Amino acid sequence: MSLAESASAPRARRADDQRRRILDAAVACFARSGFHAASMQQICAEAGMSPGGLYRYFPSKDSIIEAIVERDRAEVPELLAPLLQAEDVVGALVEAGVRFMSGALQTEGLPIYAELCAEAVRNPHIHAIHERCEQEIQGLLVQVVRRGQDLGQIDPALDAVEAVRLLSALADGLATRLVLDPGADLSGLTPMFERSVRRFLAAQPEPGQ
Amino acid sequence: MSLAESASAPRARRADDQRRRILDAAVACFARSGFHAASMQQICAEAGMSPGGLYRYFPSKDSIIEAIVERDRAEVPELLAPLLQAEDVVGALVEAGVRFMSGALQTEGLPIYAELCAEAVRNPHIHAIHERCEQEIQGLLVQVVRRGQDLGQIDPALDAVEAVRLLSALADGLATRLVLDPGADLSGLTPMFERSVRRFLAAQPEPGQ
């Protein structure tokens, strides 16, 4: 490491901290008021920063939304990577789905995810961000399903790309329901999810599961 | 019909027409700009009405959102009622799901549905509207599943309420994906949906389907 590099390292760390502080503040504001109603001023106040300080890191609300989606996306490969080594591929997929659903219950993510979908329909820039994020997740899951097919644990006749679309739609839909439906809970929906995924992926449906 | 009634009938019809015109205009505005950004002025302009005219029918944006949800909801019993008479209950459920998904592709409903979910998390009034609408749909579908169980077409060991939650989550998730995922289409997802629903509901999974 050169002298210049060692001098700039604390500065880079401070910039990372500041960005994180702004994104956390923005998540709280967006969850509370929505993308449109939340103002840059509110985000500044929540982060305890001046507008000048905030605009140095993010020139617009869109750039903040983009950074939030990117940050969430960065966690996904780490979350899904173990699936590429799992002995029991289907069991590991079920477990990852349940972890995803219980995560949805503990974060401010749902209103932001739902609003992101709404925005993606009308804003091409947000649509592109959403699309890039989805492609990485779907791509990883398709690899997992193909590996399960190679190992003889998943029906080799299934179209892996379409099967991953169905499984992702199911997990997204269940996460939404867990947050919004007062009667829904993980203990009731987990066995349904497991039955659905196992039977859907099986070459020959397992009897009586 | 009394004379007074016959005189008021055209007036009632005109009020219905005006309400419909406002709701159609509001759907277009909400889809384009979102609940928060769309103003009552924009809705007036889209409907070609004065603010005074609009406020006579709807005192607030919330009351317009409520009326849109109620209108969509009113179509549901009509859509689902045939399921209560179907000979092939599972086939009829699959067909209704496919109709729902193809409807999602042809309307401005998705951004509004997604935004409704986001709003429902933060606005108790919108949450109550969403909840009331969901309860009617879920209640009807639970009757359909129980009838399928009585007829020996659906696994009698399934909890009908939880099973309907799973099926609804799947249909919602797929509708979202059809609108937002450029690679997703009905011809690819319909066989996945059918495989998933049939296998999920079967008492003994059907071999090789």
Side-chain angles (χ1 to χ4, degrees):
Chain A
M1 195 188 274
S2 74
L3 266 177
E5 274 170 341
S6 72
S8 71
R11 205 182 309 154
R13 205 159 36 227
R14 187 175 138 73
D16 279 352
D17 285 349
Q18 292 289 76
R19 287 173 58 89
R20 194 175 310 120
R21 203 167 120 200
I22 295 167
L23 295 185
D24 289 343
V27 166
C29 289
F30 290 153
R32 210 158 49 219
S33 327
F35 290 163
H36 285 286
S39 66
M40 290 294 261
Q41 286 88 326
Q42 282 168 351
I43 298 171
C44 289
E46 180 84 26
M49 285 174 81
S50 69
L54 188 142
Y55 281 102
R56 200 181 318 145
Y57 294 99
F58 296 103
S60 66
K61 242 201 281 183
D62 267 13
S63 66
I64 295 183
I65 296 170
E66 179 163 1
I68 291 172
V69 176
E70 291 285 356
R71 182 169 72 167
D72 285 352
R73 189 181 64 121
E75 291 169 4
V76 171
E78 202 182 329
L79 203 75
L80 295 183
L83 294 183
L84 288 169
Q85 266 86 46
E87 269 181 53
D88 170 8
V89 177
V90 176
L93 274 168
V94 169
E95 209 183 290
V98 173
R99 218 162 45 224
F100 168 74
M101 293 191 284
S102 66
L105 279 171
Q106 285 151 20
T107 67
E108 296 153 308
L110 177 74
I112 293 185
Y113 169 77
E115 210 175 14
L116 190 77
C117 290
E119 277 299 302
V121 179
R122 51 190 170 235
N123 180 336
H125 184 60
I126 302 280
H127 192 267
I129 299 171
H130 179 267
E131 184 50 24
R132 193 150 28 94
C133 173
E134 274 298 318
Q135 269 176 0
E136 185 170 2
I137 300 172
Q138 304 288 305
L140 255 161
L141 288 173
V142 167
Q143 282 182 54
V144 172
V145 167
R146 293 210 171 116
R147 188 167 160 267
Q149 291 176 315
D150 291 342
L151 293 172
Q153 297 174 13
I154 292 176
D155 187 351
L158 258 184
D159 180 321
V161 173
E162 298 290 354
V164 164
R165 275 200 188 105
L166 182 119
L167 295 175
S168 310
L170 179 60
D172 285 345
L174 285 172
T176 304
R177 222 145 264 273
L178 278 167
V179 177
L180 283 182
D181 180 345
D185 60 34
L186 261 186
S187 66
L189 283 175
T190 297
M192 296 290 128
F193 177 69
E194 176 154 17
R195 171 186 175 114
S196 175
V197 173
R198 287 194 181 279
R199 288 183 170 205
F200 175 71
L201 293 175
Q204 296 290 329
E206 299 164 34
Q209 185 154 25
Chain B
M1 195 189 275
S2 73
L3 267 176
E5 273 172 341
S6 74
S8 73
R11 205 181 310 156
R13 207 161 34 228
R14 188 176 138 73
D16 278 353
D17 285 349
Q18 292 289 77
R19 286 173 57 89
R20 194 174 311 121
R21 203 166 120 199
I22 295 168
L23 295 185
D24 289 343
V27 166
C29 289
F30 290 153
R32 211 159 48 218
S33 327
F35 291 162
H36 285 285
S39 66
M40 290 293 260
Q41 286 89 326
Q42 283 168 351
I43 298 171
C44 289
E46 180 85 25
M49 285 176 80
S50 69
L54 188 141
Y55 281 101
R56 199 180 320 145
Y57 295 98
F58 296 103
S60 66
K61 243 200 281 184
D62 267 13
S63 66
I64 296 183
I65 295 170
E66 180 162 2
I68 291 172
V69 176
E70 291 285 357
R71 182 169 72 167
D72 285 352
R73 190 182 65 120
E75 291 169 5
V76 172
E78 201 181 328
L79 202 78
L80 295 182
L83 295 183
L84 288 170
Q85 267 87 45
E87 270 182 52
D88 171 8
V89 177
V90 176
L93 273 169
V94 169
E95 210 183 287
V98 173
R99 220 164 44 226
F100 168 74
M101 293 192 283
S102 66
L105 279 171
Q106 283 149 23
T107 67
E108 295 153 308
L110 177 74
I112 293 183
Y113 169 75
E115 211 175 12
L116 190 76
C117 290
E119 278 298 303
V121 179
R122 51 189 168 233
N123 180 335
H125 183 61
I126 302 280
H127 192 267
I129 299 171
H130 179 267
E131 185 49 24
R132 194 149 28 95
C133 173
E134 274 297 319
Q135 268 176 0
E136 185 169 4
I137 301 173
Q138 304 288 305
L140 255 160
L141 288 172
V142 168
Q143 282 180 56
V144 172
V145 167
R146 292 212 171 115
R147 188 167 159 267
Q149 290 176 315
D150 291 343
L151 293 171
Q153 297 174 13
I154 292 177
D155 187 350
L158 257 184
D159 180 320
V161 172
E162 298 289 356
V164 164
R165 276 200 187 106
L166 182 119
L167 295 175
S168 310
L170 180 59
D172 285 345
L174 285 172
T176 304
R177 222 145 265 271
L178 279 167
V179 178
L180 283 182
D181 180 345
D185 59 35
L186 261 185
S187 66
L189 284 176
T190 297
M192 295 292 127
F193 177 69
E194 176 155 16
R195 171 184 174 115
S196 175
V197 173
R198 288 194 181 279
R199 289 183 170 205
F200 175 70
L201 293 175
Q204 295 290 331
E206 301 164 32
Q209 183 154 29

